[in-house]
Amino acid sequence: MPAPDDQERGCIPLSQTRNGGASPYPKHATLKSWDSHTRRVMPSPALPPSLPPLGTLIPPVIFSIPLPRGWNCWFPPAAVDPPSHSTPPAGPGARLHKRMGEAVARVARKVNDTVENKTDSLDLANCKLMTFPIGIYKAMRSVTEGIHCISLANNELKSLTSRFVTTFNQLRELNLAGNYLHRLPEEITSLLHLRAINLSRNRFRHFPEHLAAVTTLETIDLEENEITEVPVEKLASMASLRSLNLRANPVNPEVRLLVRPLVPFDLLLSPEEPVPKA
């Protein structure tokens, strides 16, 4: 039987079904066999009224290794019932289930490729993530020190956790463009090797001042946010900073006066809109 916390989340191991019957997955299925089943299992007739965020659906896996006993698949029970021989239901619910299944499989493949090939980058852009999947920490624990570049661009992230920052503490480049972020964790200052960060097209109303403590930063991209004030003195003390992109932000007029040599970096701003004639 699944552990109590699994039941509370409405999740069950791959080797069980909610009715206690045999699952289409073997007890020690690997991720690849799970992935091959995804398209058939996802359009389940018993679609729950609401689905958890995709960030909670990635299991705490060690990819391509037999799943441990008591495996928690992080899927609603209906998603792992044995597939019916009847025609899968049509409609928006089934299509949503299929899209989410494909998104989960896409994330799993990308993480698996990074772990197997021991590459220094992880690209999870355009994966419909609402949070960073906690299972990835365990899946990548053997290679985290070698990850230098991560892209989480064009997802639906509303926050970046301190665990993410402290786990991938060797980052050189971090791309978080196109999300819903409005602040960064204080632990961002622990990224002692970070050279470039892309925070464009987010929801920042204030300049993320913790970045001023990351002395290795060379490029900061904050295009298309809602920033009005810029901590000029703090940024001027950043010896490595070469470029700050604040295009498409409603910056105060005095910020436009901050040109070289007043600041030792390139400050990129949108052209000033002409004052309408009376």
Side-chain angles (χ1 to χ4, degrees), residues 244-249 251 255-258 267-271:
L244 171 60
N245 185 357
L246 286 173
R247 292 189 180 104
N249 279 274
V251 295
V255 175
R256 297 184 176 277
L257 303 176
L258 301 174
L267 180 60
L268 308 178
L269 300 170
S270 298

Side-chain angles (χ1 to χ4, degrees), residues 121-127 129 132 147-157 159-160 164 168 171-181 184 188 191 194-202 204 217 219-223 225:
S121 62
L122 174 64
D123 183 2
L124 295 180
N126 302 292
C127 286
L129 294 175
F132 189 79
I147 300 298
H148 295 161
C149 178
I150 291 181
S151 177
L152 292 168
N154 303 319
N155 283 290
E156 300 176 26
L157 302 175
S159 64
L160 191 69
F164 173 88
F168 299 101
L171 284 178
R172 271 66 166 171
E173 299 179 21
L174 179 58
N175 188 350
L176 296 167
N179 283 283
Y180 301 111
L181 301 173
L184 294 176
I188 199 79
L191 297 180
L194 189 64
R195 297 174 184 169
I197 187 166
N198 190 340
L199 298 168
S200 61
R201 295 179 287 112
N202 275 279
F204 287 92
L217 269 175
T219 303
I220 301 175
D221 191 343
L222 281 160
E223 185 171 354
N225 279 276

Side-chain angles (χ1 to χ4, degrees), residues 29 63 66 79 95 148 161 196 209-210 233 276:
F63 291 96
R95 289 195 295 269
H148 295 161
T161 65
E209 294 196 22
H210 293 313
E233 293 184 2

Side-chain angles (χ1 to χ4, degrees), residues 87-103:
T87 303
R95 289 195 295 269
L96 173 62
H97 235 158
K98 180 179 179 181
R99 287 197 303 270
M100 293 192 72
E102 291 171 348

Side-chain angles (χ1 to χ4, degrees), residues 131-145:
T131 61
F132 189 79
I134 59 174
I136 291 180
Y137 295 120
K138 186 174 182 179
M140 298 188 66
R141 61 185 176 185
S142 63
V143 298
T144 51
E145 293 295 318

Side-chain angles (χ1 to χ4, degrees), residues 22-70:
S23 168
Y25 306 102
K27 184 174 181 180
H28 295 288
T30 65
L31 174 75
K32 292 179 180 178
S33 65
W34 165 70
D35 189 7
S36 67
H37 281 281
T38 301
R39 293 178 182 271
R40 298 201 301 270
V41 174
M42 291 307 296
S44 170
L47 184 68
S50 62
L51 290 170
L54 180 56
T56 66
L57 293 180
I58 303 295
V61 316
I62 301 175
F63 291 96
S64 299
I65 293 177
L67 307 182
R69 185 176 181 179

